[in-house]
Amino acid sequence: MAELQSLQKLDLSFNNLTGQIPRALFTMNSLRDLFLGNNSLSGSILSQKSETLQTIDLSYNLLSGNLPSWVNSCLKLNFVANNFTPSSSNIR
């Protein structure tokens, strides 16, 4: 993904994407906004993300598992209509 080093916003919503979320999307240093809603992505959310990533839309997918610890930070998140299991550290 070297050719995408300056990418700041990526919207792949409504594309019938399947499989797991690629790790590279959560670790790109330039990416601020990531929209992957309304696909058929499965698996869990990555436990780490870049500090620049501020808006994440993973709504209406098939994601499951525990929410990562970074979910408590000051982010714009949309995780509606998935199958997450909140851990006790995420409930306040």
Side-chain angles (χ1 to χ4, degrees):
M1 290 206 155
E3 62 276 0
L4 301 176
Q5 288 181 357
S6 61
L7 185 66
Q8 294 182 358
K9 182 176 184 177
L10 180 62
D11 189 345
L12 295 174
S13 302
F14 298 96
N15 277 288
N16 295 317
L17 300 175
T18 60
Q20 296 187 344
I21 301 169
R23 178 175 301 280
L25 294 179
F26 272 69
T27 58
M28 291 176 63
N29 289 329
S30 61
L31 194 62
R32 290 184 325 203
D33 305 305
L34 177 61
F35 300 93
L36 297 173
N38 293 278
N39 285 294
S40 294
L41 296 169
S42 59
S44 59
I45 299 177
L46 299 170
S47 60
Q48 296 182 355
K49 67 161 200 62
S50 73
E51 291 185 21
T52 56
L53 196 53
Q54 298 172 357
T55 303
I56 304 171
D57 182 352
L58 301 175
S59 61
Y60 297 95
N61 278 287
L62 305 170
L63 299 167
S64 60
N66 292 326
L67 294 173
S69 60
W70 55 258
V71 166
N72 287 332
S73 38
C74 297
L75 301 169
K76 297 174 189 169
L77 304 172
N78 186 354
F79 292 170
V80 70
N82 282 287
N83 194 27
F84 294 119
T85 306
S87 67
S88 59
S89 63
N90 293 108
I91 301 172
R92 298 198 187 223

